[in-house]
Amino acid sequence: MIDLEIIYSFNCLISFQQQDHYQHQAKLQFTSTKINLLLNSQCYEIDISYQLALKWKCQENKLLSMHFQQFTIYAENEDLLILKKHLDCKVTYVGIREIYDNVILIQQTGNAKTCTLKSKIDDKNYICKCYKKQEFEKCRIYEQLMILRKLNEFKNVARIIDFFESSNSYYIIFEQMNRIHYHNLSHEDIQSMMFVYQIKQQDILCCVKVLISNKIYHSQINLCNILMDKDMNCKLIGFENAELLNEENDVLNSLMLTMAGNVMIKLYQYNSSNKDLICIPDYGNSLVQGLLQSKQDQQINIEQALSHEYFDYFDNNSSPMMQQQIIPKLKSFITQQSLQSPIDSNI
């Protein structure tokens, strides 16, 4: 058996269920897969997995203790924060009200509710997706968590924060994001935001690229599942509609490219008074046609899409992306009848 490297250790006090009022001095250390509790000559090893149910105690923006199995651990706030950061989304937390409050319902669709929460630790707002257990299989929750953890460092995927479970619900906590309400924008507003649309379309294609490279299929790449963070980065959500693939699947990759093309059409529909005659600037027409080709051997691939001349009007090296001096004109048109794949009205 190979000893795993200790990531961090700290002194703590431990009490047991049968000895609630007696605390033992001990040391807690953790590796990538285990929590070790060193008490006198004993060492308790606890596996880090979703089977480990753990409850935090928080007061006045500080963590006081955590409880799992028969142990209650008391330690300094700074040490517990380091441990929590390591355990976030790798174990199952219980007692969501200990960490979050001020629940405000945003949306209820199908088998899930979306709420905003406020953390008692840092006073920041977060998004919570709540699923009823009788309507959502546990294996699907775990697969969603595995996918989100795999993509957690990618800037165009919603960042997962915590995972909680109660007697009847699952809760996945995400970073704060906002939906863009395009229907509230005037024609002039959208004209001035054309460069933002190009940035967004490139972000969406980047999402498709990272999904393909990680062998993940997302079946609902649409405007309903694209939010924006405070830095105006597109964030893909809706990973209850995603699955891990055993191997790369060209057919499913092609479908995701088609969905990205449909999103691009939908964005530019808001700029056209005639929804059947969609106005796309410069080379956007050929990009959309390439994404929506129904024959796989004629469809452009993800690398060709990201390097398309449609994006040449923008300086990719600046942050945020800025428009260059040459201002693209709306000079090409695309109609529904000219597309090989129809526009999905549900996007």
Side-chain angles (χ1 to χ4, degrees):
M1 181 177 177
I2 299 174
D3 290 331
L4 294 174
E5 182 181 354
I6 295 171
I7 297 173
Y8 188 76
S9 65
F10 57 88
N11 295 324
C12 62
L13 295 174
I14 298 178
S15 65
F16 297 86
Q17 284 182 340
Q18 68 271 27
Q19 297 173 316
D20 288 337
H21 301 292
Y22 188 77
Q23 298 177 346
H24 306 265
Q25 291 188 349
K27 175 172 284 190
L28 184 149
Q29 54 186 212
F30 58 85
T31 67
S32 59
T33 61
K34 290 184 182 295
I35 299 173
N36 298 324
L37 296 176
L38 308 178
L39 179 63
N40 298 325
S41 59
Q42 292 180 298
C43 178
Y44 300 90
E45 287 189 349
I46 298 96
D47 290 330
I48 296 175
S49 73
Y50 291 121
Q51 282 65 52
L52 178 60
L54 190 153
K55 185 175 183 178
W56 297 99
K57 184 71 174 178
C58 180
Q59 185 176 326
E60 297 179 353
N61 302 99
K62 292 184 178 182
L63 292 176
L64 301 179
S65 65
M66 66 173 184
H67 177 82
F68 59 90
Q69 296 179 358
Q70 75 269 33
F71 306 104
T72 300
I73 312 296
Y74 303 89
E76 295 293 330
N77 174 61
E78 291 76 12
D79 293 325
L80 292 177
L81 284 174
I82 292 172
L83 175 59
K84 182 179 182 300
K85 184 177 180 180
H86 178 71
L87 296 178
D88 287 349
C89 309
K90 298 176 185 176
V91 302
T92 299
Y93 293 156
V94 296
I96 190 171
R97 289 285 186 175
E98 291 288 338
I99 302 294
Y100 297 97
D101 60 11
N102 291 353
V103 180
I104 300 174
L105 179 65
I106 299 176
Q107 187 180 39
Q108 182 169 0
T109 55
N111 59 3
K113 293 180 181 179
T114 304
C115 310
T116 59
L117 306 176
K118 187 174 182 179
S119 170
K120 295 181 181 179
I121 298 175
D122 59 17
D123 288 329
K124 293 181 180 179
N125 291 325
Y126 295 91
I127 298 291
C128 174
K129 205 75 174 285
C130 173
Y131 303 91
K132 290 294 183 184
K133 283 185 175 180
Q134 67 267 28
E135 299 173 7
F136 206 87
E137 297 174 6
K138 194 166 190 175
C139 60
R140 290 177 61 201
I141 280 287
Y142 287 163
E143 183 172 21
Q144 185 179 172
L145 290 169
M146 289 174 61
I147 291 173
L148 287 166
R149 281 177 54 193
K150 193 172 186 179
L151 303 178
N152 215 30
E153 299 303 317
F154 182 62
K155 76 178 183 72
N156 293 122
V157 170
R159 186 165 60 90
I160 186 174
I161 305 297
D162 283 336
F163 170 60
F164 282 84
E165 182 178 350
S166 67
S167 58
N168 58 9
S169 299
Y170 302 112
Y171 308 89
I172 301 181
I173 314 298
F174 294 94
E175 63 181 315
Q176 175 68 22
M177 299 167 288
N178 296 299
R179 192 176 300 280
I180 300 297
H181 299 286
Y182 300 96
H183 60 273
N184 292 332
L185 299 175
S186 67
H187 177 84
E188 291 74 19
D189 290 334
I190 294 175
Q191 284 276 18
S192 66
M193 288 180 65
M194 280 300 172
F195 73 99
V196 176
Y197 284 179
Q198 292 216 7
I199 295 170
K200 288 190 62 181
Q201 181 60 15
Q202 200 165 43
D203 274 357
I204 294 162
L205 288 172
C206 286
C207 287
V208 174
K209 180 177 180 178
V210 81
L211 292 172
I212 290 173
S213 63
N214 284 279
K215 298 183 179 64
I216 295 167
Y217 173 62
H218 194 303
S219 66
Q220 296 293 319
I221 300 175
N222 53 44
L223 285 183
C224 292
N225 283 325
I226 297 170
L227 306 184
M228 303 286 282
D229 66 12
K230 59 183 178 60
D231 298 319
M232 293 298 287
N233 294 310
C234 282
K235 295 285 187 175
L236 184 62
I237 61 170
F239 281 88
E240 60 267 34
N241 301 302
E243 60 178 304
L244 285 167
L245 306 175
N246 293 325
E247 58 185 20
E248 190 166 324
N249 188 309
D250 292 337
V251 174
L252 296 182
N253 293 346
S254 175
L255 287 174
M256 290 193 290
L257 288 169
T258 299
M259 285 185 272
N262 281 328
V263 169
M264 187 175 187
I265 291 174
K266 189 66 175 178
L267 286 173
Y268 281 102
Q269 276 186 327
Y270 291 102
N271 188 48
S272 178
S273 56
N274 181 356
K275 303 305 179 188
D276 292 327
L277 185 64
I278 305 165
C279 195
I280 299 180
D282 298 283
Y283 298 101
N285 183 37
S286 70
L287 175 57
V288 171
Q289 294 276 13
L291 290 169
L292 296 183
Q293 284 291 340
S294 59
K295 294 183 178 180
Q296 197 174 316
D297 60 348
Q298 296 178 10
Q299 185 184 41
I300 62 175
N301 61 39
I302 186 61
E303 298 298 341
Q304 291 170 324
L306 282 168
S307 61
H308 196 276
E309 53 197 338
Y310 175 64
F311 299 112
D312 287 346
Y313 290 100
F314 300 86
D315 177 12
N316 295 325
N317 296 318
S318 62
S319 182
M321 195 178 296
M322 299 298 294
Q323 205 167 1
Q324 292 182 346
Q325 291 182 350
I326 301 175
I327 300 175
K329 298 178 181 178
L330 304 179
K331 63 184 182 184
S332 60
F333 296 86
I334 187 167
T335 64
Q336 281 184 285
Q337 290 75 18
S338 70
L339 298 175
Q340 307 239 356
S341 300
I343 298 174
D344 185 352
S345 60
N346 293 321
I347 294 180

